[in-house]
């Protein structure tokens, strides 16, 4: 039966800004709300290597998409309530562009440093392009690796606002739990008490995005 799904893409041109971390943990959080598909559009296949399938009950299965990305997004949307697409760190290969044309919500993780923000400006152009065929696309920067009470992180929110895409109020803190969970091949939801703060970051991102129009 076809159902109405909410589809997310996680993209940025920078490697290492937290796309796969956000994609995997977001999918784990969405999985608690409804059936979720996690699509790996990065030809490097990070997510497939990442997940320890023996330990990850409660996690969506990862589907590597390759050139079939448009078909995978449509099919996943027909049979899942939520779809999360982890994009490669590039524009030009067509994967990120395709994802932006097909999803409802784009999240762009960005590290709290000015050069990282500048290099994300091309994402703003990609969003404008995608909106010509997907006018309902909602897009937000998500500040990652934020230090508590960091003046820089707050200043970054102001700087981001002038870039043409809003930043979510919710952030991902700089937390060892994200790295440890990745090393163990699990999400922060499977990480018990050690993952609590990280889970609360992800929950707050999900609530902010799902309750925002
Ligand atoms: N909020 C965070 N706190 C601590 N480490 C993080 C955080 N976000 C990402 N990392 C780490 O940074 C590295 C790059 O993250 P990753 O999600 O693989 O980036 P990308 O997919 O954009 O290349 C990984 O080692 C990851 O565990
Ligand atoms: Mg990645």
């Amino acid at each position: 039966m076809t159902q109405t799904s909410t589809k997310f893409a996680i993209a940025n041109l920078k490697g290492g800004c937290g796309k796969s971390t956000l994609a995997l943990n977001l999918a784990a959080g969405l999985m608690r709300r409804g059936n979720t598909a996690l699509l790996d559009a990065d030809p490097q296949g990070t997510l497939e290597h990442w997940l320890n399938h023996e330990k990850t009950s409660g996690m969506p299965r990862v589907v590597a998409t390759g050139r079939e990305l448009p078909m995978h997004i449509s099919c996943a949307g027909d049979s899942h309530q939520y779809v999360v697409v982890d994009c490669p760190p590039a524009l030009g290969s067509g994967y990120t562009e395709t994802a932006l044309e097909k999803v409802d919500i784009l999240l762009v993780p960005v590290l709290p440093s000015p050069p990282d923000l500048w290099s994300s400006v091309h994402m703003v152009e990609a969003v404008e392009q995608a909106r010509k065929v997907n006018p309902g696309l909602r897009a937000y920067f998500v500040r990652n690796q934020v230090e508590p009470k960091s003046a820089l992180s707050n200043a970054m929110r102001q700087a981001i606002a002038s870039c043409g895409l809003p930043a979510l109020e919710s952030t991902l803190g700089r937390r060892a739990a994200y790295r440890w969970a990745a090393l163990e091949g699990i999400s922060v939801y499977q990480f018990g008490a050690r993952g609590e703060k990280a889970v609360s970051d992800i929950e707050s991102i999900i609530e902010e995005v799902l309750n925002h129009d």
Side-chain angles (χ1 to χ4, degrees), residues 186-209:
I186 58 179
S187 84
V188 293
Y189 287 82
Q190 277 89 28
F191 206 46
R194 293 182 295 170
E196 260 171 25
K197 288 187 176 149
V199 164
S200 114
D201 292 345
I202 303 289
E203 285 293 304
S204 128
I205 288 172
I206 293 175
E207 289 304 315
E208 185 175 350
V209 168

Side-chain angles (χ1 to χ4, degrees), residues 16-28:
C17 64
K19 292 180 294 300
S20 299
T21 302
L22 178 57
L24 183 115
N25 290 295
L26 177 73

